[in-house]
């Protein structure tokens, strides 16, 4: 009898199961709108030219070696990542009360932040939006939170932010709860609060003594502008909040499988930060000891060299612009076809994803009749669209809705 004989199979992970089903589909017009990664106009993954260039420089650099990094990672990377998030003129950086820690991509940053808040700081309850990136729940329960709860976020009727519901739920949250906030390009809805709405959210968080945990997986990738996409985090820091922010470099550098992430911790004083860092060092030492170098060095090189930095900014603009143009193309076609409903949300939403408002039956219909794959929630990845398949997808959506 096997040692794991009594174990039942776990549920499939929807996004991976979808990709598997798409791959085995032999229909020539099939379209995958389910993936969580950038695709070019040719439906191919894209290694950013600036990344290729830096990797070639690194391969030729005999001074680089494969020694262990420190537990908290490559300082040249984490410092640059934190500066990119908080801005060059950040008061928290100037005061020495903000620091970055290299992590295993955004997920790893979330896990380290979660363990620190739950196990070290004794926080018991964490909230994320409904809906949210589906992995928040698993990461945070595994990190040691006793309770994972949701606050309202999406209003299906208006296909926009349910601010009233969100504020009510935050007001009702127990004091000291941790609140996950998407820094920009909310996944899966593509709906972000406006600056004024962020202000109202911040007021409730302060008033109810809640703790903000930002998840920043799309900085620069969302609008093409790094500063614009960091607005929410920077305004909280400016208002004097202590916070943590989990950064992913998967999307904005196209470094998905290199697992490059950063956890930025902002505290009220330099003194408490030192103690926090020593505890985080122990958490990481006991979890994976230290992070890998390659991807972090690629990012550090790009962020710390003015010429390469400009080349990278061109790349993120290319990706953001392609997504924005696919949004416009889809909306235009649906309107032209007279598809019932209002499709303004397609262009109002931000980032890689759009929450189409299609229901489960329509999603299934699109898959069965047209071989168009998307998550059950109706979330689509705009990069799955190309000029070559826009007409096909718009026609199919029109048929599914009618
Ligand atoms: N947070 C959000 C909101 C995301 O969308 C993602 C990626 N899908 C992540 C975190 C983590 O991504 P990664 O671990 O690949 O950096």
């Amino acid at each position: 009898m096997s040692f794991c004989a009594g174990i039942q199979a776990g549920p499939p992970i929807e996004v991976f199961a979808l990709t598997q089903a798409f791959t085995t589909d032999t229909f020539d017009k099939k379209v995958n709108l389910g993936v969580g990664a950038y695709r070019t106009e040719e439906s191919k993954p894209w290694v950013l030219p600036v990344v290729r260039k830096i990797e070639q420089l690194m391969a030729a650099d005999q001074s680089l070696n494969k020694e262990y990094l420190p537990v908290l990672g490559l300082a040249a990377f984490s410092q640059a990542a934190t500066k990119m998030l908080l801005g060059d003129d950040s008061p928290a950086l100037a005061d020495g009360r903000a620091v970055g820690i290299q992590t295993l991509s955004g997920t790893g940053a979330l896990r380290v932040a979660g363990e620190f808040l739950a196990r070290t700081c004794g926080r018991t309850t964490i909230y994320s939006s409904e809906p949210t990136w589906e992995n928040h729940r698993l990461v945070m329960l595994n990190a040691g939170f006793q309770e994972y709860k949701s606050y309202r976020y999406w209003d299906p009727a208006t296909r926009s932010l349910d601010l009233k519901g969100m504020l009510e739920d935050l007001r009702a949250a127990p004091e000291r709860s941790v609140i996950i906030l998407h820094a920009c390009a909310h996944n899966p809805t593509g709906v972000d609060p406006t600056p004024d709405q962020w202000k109202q959210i911040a007021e409730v968080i302060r008033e109810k003594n809640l703790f903000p945990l930002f998840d920043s997986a799309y900085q620069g990738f969302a609008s093409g502008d790094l500063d614009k996409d960091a607005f929410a985090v920077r305004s909280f820091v400016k208002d004097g909040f202590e916070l943590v922010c989990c950064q992913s470099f998967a999307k904005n550098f196209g470094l998905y499988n290199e697992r490059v992430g950063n956890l930025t911790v902002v505290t009220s004083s330099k003194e408490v930060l030192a103690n926090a860092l020593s505890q985080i060092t122990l958490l990481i030492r006991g979890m994976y000891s230290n992070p890998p170098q390659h991807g972090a060095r690629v990012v550090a090189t790009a962020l710390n060299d003015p010429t390469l930095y400009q080349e990278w900014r061109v790349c993120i603009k290319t990706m953001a612009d392609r997504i924005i143009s696919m949004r416009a193309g889809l909306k235009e076609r649906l309107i032209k076809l007279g598809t019932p409903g209002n499709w303004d949300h397609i262009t109002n939403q931000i980032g890689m994803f759009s929450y189409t408002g299609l229901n489960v039956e329509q999603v299934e219909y699109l898959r069965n009749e047209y071989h168009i794959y998307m998550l059950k929630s109706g979330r689509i990845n705009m990069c799955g669209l190309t000029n070559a398949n826009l007409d096909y997808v718009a026609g199919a959506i029109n048929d599914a809705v009618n």
Side-chain angles (χ1 to χ4, degrees), residues 36 104-108 110 132-133 136 182 185-187 215-218 247-251 256 259-260 353 379:
L104 306 181
S105 214
T107 309
L110 285 162
T132 189
W133 181 47
H136 279 157
H182 295 230
H186 183 271
N187 178 6
D215 182 353
S216 179
Y218 300 95
Q247 288 170 272
S248 167
F249 289 83
K251 314 286 178 334
Y256 304 91
R259 315 307 292 144
V260 191
F353 300 115
R379 184 196 86 170

Side-chain angles (χ1 to χ4, degrees), residues 274-324:
N275 292 345
L277 263 188
S278 69
Q279 292 294 343
I280 292 173
T281 305
L282 293 176
L283 281 176
I284 293 176
R285 176 71 178 148
M287 226 189 299
Y288 54 82
S289 201
N290 48 68
Q293 175 188 239
H294 182 84
R297 192 169 284 283
V298 170
V299 173
T301 308
L303 295 183
N304 290 320
D305 177 289
T307 311
L308 296 169
Y309 182 67
Q310 278 320 316
E311 288 178 30
W312 171 59
R313 291 188 75 142
V314 172
C315 293
I316 48 178
K317 189 86 177 57
T318 302
M319 294 190 283
D321 284 352
R322 186 175 117 62
I323 291 170
I324 290 165

